[in-house]
Coordinates of all heavy atoms in Angstrom, one line a residue:
I233 N -23.9 64.5 -3.7 CA -23.7 65.8 -4.3 C -24.3 66.9 -3.4 O -23.7 67.9 -3.2 CB -24.2 65.8 -5.7 CG1 -23.3 64.9 -6.6 CG2 -24.2 67.2 -6.3 CD1 -23.9 64.6 -8.0
V234 N -25.5 66.7 -3.0 CA -26.3 67.7 -2.3 C -25.9 67.8 -0.8 O -26.0 68.9 -0.2 CB -27.8 67.4 -2.5 CG1 -28.7 68.4 -1.7 CG2 -28.2 67.5 -3.9
G235 N -25.5 66.7 -0.3 CA -25.0 66.7 1.1 C -26.1 66.5 2.1 O -25.9 66.7 3.3
R236 N -27.3 66.0 1.7 CA -28.4 65.7 2.6 C -29.4 64.8 1.9 O -29.4 64.7 0.6 CB -29.1 67.0 3.0 CG -29.6 67.9 1.9 CD -30.0 69.2 2.5 NE -30.1 70.2 1.4 CZ -30.5 71.4 1.5 NH1 -31.0 71.8 2.6 NH2 -30.5 72.2 0.5
S237 N -30.3 64.2 2.6 CA -31.2 63.2 2.1 C -32.5 63.9 1.7 O -33.3 63.2 0.9 CB -31.4 62.1 3.0 OG -31.9 62.5 4.2
E238 N -32.8 65.1 2.2 CA -34.1 65.7 1.8 C -34.0 67.2 2.0 O -33.2 67.7 2.8 CB -35.3 65.1 2.5 CG -35.6 65.7 3.8 CD -36.9 65.1 4.4 OE1 -37.1 63.9 4.3 OE2 -37.7 65.8 5.0
A239 N -34.8 67.9 1.3 CA -34.9 69.4 1.4 C -36.2 69.9 0.9 O -36.9 69.2 0.1 CB -33.8 70.0 0.5
S240 N -36.7 71.0 1.5 CA -37.9 71.6 1.1 C -37.7 72.8 0.1 O -36.7 73.5 0.3 CB -38.7 72.2 2.3 OG -39.1 71.1 3.1
Y241 N -38.5 72.9 -0.9 CA -38.4 73.9 -1.9 C -39.7 74.7 -2.0 O -40.8 74.0 -2.1 CB -37.9 73.4 -3.2 CG -36.5 73.0 -3.3 CD1 -36.1 71.8 -2.8 CD2 -35.5 73.9 -3.7 CE1 -34.7 71.4 -2.8 CE2 -34.2 73.6 -3.7 CZ -33.8 72.3 -3.3 OH -32.5 72.0 -3.2
T242 N -39.7 76.0 -2.1 CA -40.9 76.8 -2.4 C -40.8 77.2 -3.8 O -39.8 77.7 -4.3 CB -40.9 78.0 -1.5 OG1 -40.9 77.6 -0.1 CG2 -42.1 78.9 -1.7
L243 N -41.9 76.8 -4.6 CA -41.9 77.0 -6.0 C -43.1 77.8 -6.4 O -44.1 77.8 -5.7 CB -41.9 75.6 -6.7 CG -40.9 74.6 -6.2 CD1 -41.2 73.2 -6.8 CD2 -39.5 75.1 -6.8
A244 N -43.1 78.3 -7.6 CA -44.3 78.9 -8.2 C -45.3 77.9 -8.6 O -44.9 76.7 -8.9 CB -43.9 79.7 -9.4
E245 N -46.6 78.2 -8.4 CA -47.6 77.3 -8.9 C -47.4 77.0 -10.3 O -47.1 77.9 -11.1 CB -49.0 77.9 -8.6 CG -49.3 77.9 -7.1 CD -50.8 78.2 -6.8 OE1 -51.7 77.9 -7.6 OE2 -51.0 78.9 -5.8
G246 N -47.7 75.8 -10.7 CA -47.5 75.4 -12.1 C -46.1 74.8 -12.5 O -45.9 74.4 -13.6
T247 N -45.2 74.8 -11.5 CA -43.9 74.3 -11.7 C -44.0 72.8 -12.0 O -44.7 72.0 -11.3 CB -43.0 74.5 -10.5 OG1 -42.9 75.9 -10.3 CG2 -41.6 73.9 -10.7
T248 N -43.2 72.3 -13.0 CA -43.2 70.9 -13.4 C -42.0 70.2 -12.7 O -41.0 70.9 -12.3 CB -43.1 70.7 -14.9 OG1 -41.9 71.2 -15.4 CG2 -44.3 71.4 -15.6
L249 N -42.0 68.9 -12.8 CA -40.8 68.1 -12.3 C -39.6 68.5 -13.1 O -38.5 68.7 -12.5 CB -41.1 66.6 -12.5 CG -41.8 65.9 -11.3 CD1 -42.1 64.5 -11.8 CD2 -40.9 65.9 -10.1
G250 N -39.7 68.6 -14.4 CA -38.6 69.0 -15.2 C -38.0 70.3 -14.9 O -36.8 70.5 -14.8
Q251 N -38.9 71.3 -14.6 CA -38.4 72.6 -14.2 C -37.7 72.6 -12.8 O -36.7 73.3 -12.6 CB -39.6 73.6 -14.1 CG -40.1 73.9 -15.5 CD -41.4 74.7 -15.5 OE1 -42.3 74.5 -14.6 NE2 -41.6 75.6 -16.4
L252 N -38.2 71.8 -11.9 CA -37.6 71.6 -10.6 C -36.2 71.0 -10.8 O -35.2 71.4 -10.2 CB -38.4 70.8 -9.6 CG -37.8 70.5 -8.3 CD1 -37.3 71.7 -7.5 CD2 -38.7 69.6 -7.4

Side-chain angles (χ1 to χ4, degrees):
I233 291 168
V234 174
R236 54 188 161 173
S237 60
E238 87 175 42
S240 291
Y241 285 85
T242 301
L243 309 167
E245 288 189 35
T247 299
T248 66
L249 271 172
Q251 290 169 325
L252 175 56

